[in-house]
Amino acid sequence: MAVGVKHGCATTGEGLVRCHVKGVGDRMGLLVALDADVACEDRFDWFCETVSSDVMPVMLSTQHAADFRASVTDLDLGVVRLSALACSPVLSRRTLAHVRRGDPEHLQLALVTQGAFRISQRGNESVVAGGLVLTDTSRPSEGECTGGRVETVVMQIPRPDLALRPDRVDRLLAQGMAADVGSGAILAGFLKTLLTHGPRCGPEELRGMGSVALDLATAFLAQQLGDPDEAPAEARAQETLQRIYRFIENNLGDPGLTPQVIADRHNMSLRGLYALFGDQQLTIAARIRQSRLERAHADLARGELGGQPVQAIAARWGFSTATAFSRAFREAYGITPTEHRALSLVPTARRAQKPCTSRTPPRAARA
């Protein structure tokens, strides 16, 4: 289900949207937008603005503007995002002009959990009720609720992160796919469970769940296309590379995470692992070091972690000694971890008077 902004809608102001988009504690990227406190006559315009800022430009229209109801929940899972949308009947249309105006370059895998939705794209058209459907934000599309209220769960997948050849994936666009049997049922159940329990998970758990969601979606789509072993060597190498990236992100806190461990875990030789990373910007060791530094850099700037020693944060992200961490941090950012924390946690007014010497992201050195 494509969602976005309605042409010519009377804006109710950016502040209106922000008043009803709430973060929950320190959860990673959980946003909940509800229409409960929005005036009835403003709800459709509010919905258009909310989904436009979160997803992409698209024209929306409805015959229910006077009594329109909607809610949007967005959960950031790192490599993918998961959104739950519920709304009164709408018609959506995304043209080439909309694509040129804004394109996140995502594939949207939608599970229709209530109602029915007609979607057309790339010459294909389906009416989906209780099933799954794939769309591409980089192509024009049109959708319409064919009955009453519609509820969907949408996984937004960056195209480069889906380890399947694009021309093969394009065959599935706007094709209804079953969500009650086989891998479709497993994927659908996982997505619904993730929306229910994900808000209670910490950032690292959510990133791990995002990796699992992407793996399940990839396996499901590959199954729809036929035997995954038919994929060319280049696509298989890309799939392996993405799996290794996710393994690294999920194990940064392990000080024993080394190229040899990664090679063993993925049933390949160390030479094969280095060859896989041969045309990447960073070597595998540099990738591990940079990711650890980025996580530590972010944690040192979090006020709620201000009472934790620098060494404790370094250890959380796999640095075995304070000396090694401080040396790597200073090389990457130009200041010490303690200086970065002090600059990050001073009151806003004082911070504005101080020059920021921290450099982000870390220098991409091959080592």
Side-chain angles (χ1 to χ4, degrees), residues 114-138:
Q114 179 177 315
F117 196 75
R118 178 186 63 80
I119 183 70
S120 60
Q121 188 173 61
R122 198 177 175 264
N124 300 326
E125 181 172 316
S126 300
V127 176
V128 183
L132 288 148
V133 65
L134 185 72
T135 55
D136 183 355
T137 65
S138 300

Side-chain angles (χ1 to χ4, degrees), residues 28 35 42 47 81 97 126-127 137 142 146 204 222 238 251 273 290 302 319 323:
M28 186 180 76
D35 64 7
D42 293 331
F47 178 68
R81 301 185 73 90
S126 300
V127 176
T137 65
E142 184 172 311
T146 59
E204 291 313 304
Q238 181 64 19
N251 292 276
L273 179 65
Q290 176 175 299
R302 293 172 61 185
F319 291 96
T323 301

Side-chain angles (χ1 to χ4, degrees), residues 184-330:
I186 295 172
L187 174 62
F190 181 76
L191 296 182
K192 289 187 284 189
T193 300
L194 193 53
L195 273 176
T196 300
H197 299 287
R200 299 179 181 87
C201 295
E204 291 313 304
E205 290 179 290
L206 290 178
R207 289 188 183 94
M209 293 300 100
S211 297
V212 173
L214 179 57
D215 285 344
L216 287 174
T218 302
F220 168 72
L221 294 174
Q223 184 65 36
Q224 301 303 305
L225 291 167
D227 186 353
D229 291 335
E230 294 178 358
E234 181 180 351
R236 292 198 299 272
Q238 181 64 19
E239 181 179 3
T240 301
L241 190 64
Q242 294 301 323
R243 188 181 302 117
I244 290 172
Y245 282 156
R246 294 194 291 274
F247 180 79
I248 290 172
E249 293 299 311
N250 291 334
N251 292 276
L252 289 173
D254 180 3
L257 181 66
T258 64
Q260 185 63 64
V261 168
I262 294 170
D264 293 343
R265 175 63 176 78
H266 292 85
N267 301 311
M268 63 175 62
S269 68
L270 188 59
R271 179 179 294 181
L273 179 65
Y274 288 145
L276 187 63
F277 274 76
D279 60 352
Q280 301 301 302
Q281 183 180 8
L282 298 176
T283 65
I284 189 165
R287 172 87 181 204
I288 294 170
R289 182 171 60 252
Q290 176 175 299
S291 296
R292 283 172 168 165
L293 285 169
E294 289 174 345
R295 298 293 180 81
H297 184 275
D299 278 1
L300 287 168
R302 293 172 61 185
E304 66 271 23
L305 300 181
Q308 293 189 11
V310 170
Q311 173 57 23
I313 291 176
R316 178 185 303 138
W317 296 115
F319 291 96
S320 56
T321 68
T323 301
F325 172 62
S326 294
R327 182 169 55 247
F329 194 96
R330 189 181 187 98

